[in-house]
Amino acid sequence: DIQMTQSPSSVSASVGDRVTITCRASQGISSWLAWYQQKPGKAPKLLIFTASSLQSGVPSRFSGSGSGTDFTLTISSLQPEDFATYYCQQANSFLALTFGGGTKVEIK
Amino acid sequence: QITLKESGPTLVKPTQTLTLTCTFSGFSLSTSGVGVGWIRQPPGKALEWLALIYWDDDKRYSPSLKSRLTITKDTSKNQVVLTMTNMDPVDTATYYCAHRPNFGVVSPFDYWGQGTLVTVSS
């Protein structure tokens, strides 16, 4: 199975900071990657699909990049509503749809 | 708009079989390429994909749980049912169902239900 490893597991940042989260696949997955945001007690929300496509309605401060094994989610200027946990997911249904372990973005 | 809602028992005993129902609206599971998946999340832990069923009844399962899972659909009722056998306390989690759009082979889950917490305890 493909393993998805996120780093860091948590990050402390201030409003206005640029935040970058990394997701690494144990084998190449082309651009088959999605990113989700989850707030406490809520269902995940889709942010990015096919590694870099922004889901409708998601602010443009969110961006995704990468292909193969290494991917990044960047928040260009952190806003108060962005404090949450972020998950990457391998999205090719011919393989197990594995999620990463999550990255918690906390207030500094 | 697309909505999904999970229903089922909140408490099951060890060794019992869990049956969860996802009732959805705003889309049809007879539309080409569309799917519904199940994902769970133990308290304080990460998301774990469980199963996925497509419009054409193609089914995919998590390799680590495949022997315990069955996913079915009732297109006329707009429902997807997940059964998980031989429940254990480690299966205590919030269980979500989610819509998978027709983006081809590579699609995310773009709409999620609110989730239902299932506790496994004697």
Side-chain angles (χ1 to χ4, degrees):
Chain A
D1 294 352
I2 296 177
Q3 307 302 316
M4 307 300 293
T5 303
Q6 287 183 234
S7 61
S9 56
S10 66
V11 56
S12 294
S14 302
V15 172
D17 283 353
R18 182 182 184 90
V19 173
T20 298
I21 298 168
T22 297
C23 179
R24 175 164 288 176
S26 61
Q27 64 187 73
I29 59 168
S30 186
S31 60
W32 312 328
L33 192 90
W35 288 99
Y36 300 86
Q37 175 194 67
Q38 187 180 34
K39 296 182 179 179
K42 300 294 187 181
K45 172 188 173 183
L46 176 65
L47 299 176
I48 302 280
F49 59 96
T50 55
S52 59
S53 299
L54 197 66
Q55 173 69 349
S56 176
V58 174
S60 59
R61 62 181 179 272
F62 291 93
S63 64
S65 65
S67 67
T69 59
D70 295 315
F71 302 86
T72 59
L73 173 70
T74 299
I75 310 171
S76 60
S77 178
L78 197 66
Q79 298 301 300
E81 60 268 31
D82 301 335
F83 291 97
T85 300
Y86 294 84
Y87 293 94
C88 62
Q89 183 205 16
Q90 188 290 122
N92 183 331
S93 65
F94 285 115
L95 307 168
L97 299 172
T98 312
F99 288 89
T103 296
K104 186 174 184 179
V105 177
E106 300 174 298
I107 300 172
K108 193 171 187 178
Chain B
Q1 79 279 21
I2 290 175
T3 64
L4 305 99
K5 188 172 184 179
E6 307 85 355
S7 59
T10 58
L11 179 66
V12 298
K13 290 180 167 45
T15 75
Q16 286 187 335
T17 294
L18 171 69
T19 299
L20 294 172
T21 300
C22 176
T23 303
F24 56 85
S25 63
F27 68 96
S28 172
L29 202 39
S30 60
T31 300
S32 177
V34 171
V36 171
W38 285 94
I39 303 98
R40 72 178 179 180
Q41 185 173 39
K45 295 189 177 181
L47 300 166
E48 179 182 21
W49 170 68
L50 301 176
L52 172 66
I53 189 165
Y54 279 109
W55 66 284
D56 60 356
D57 211 37
D58 185 18
K59 301 166 187 177
R60 308 292 167 91
Y61 294 101
S62 165
S64 62
L65 293 167
K66 184 175 183 177
S67 64
R68 299 174 54 204
L69 296 173
T70 303
I71 189 169
T72 60
K73 64 180 176 68
D74 186 330
T75 305
S76 64
K77 292 184 178 178
N78 282 351
Q79 290 181 332
V80 171
V81 174
L82 180 76
T83 60
M84 179 180 289
T85 62
N86 194 25
M87 293 292 284
D88 183 273
V90 300
D91 297 313
T92 294
T94 296
Y95 287 75
Y96 296 98
C97 63
H99 169 263
R100 196 163 190 269
N102 181 14
F103 288 3
V105 170
V106 182
S107 285
F109 293 113
D110 61 350
Y111 290 91
W112 294 60
Q114 63 190 24
T116 186
L117 176 62
V118 177
T119 301
V120 184
S121 175
S122 54

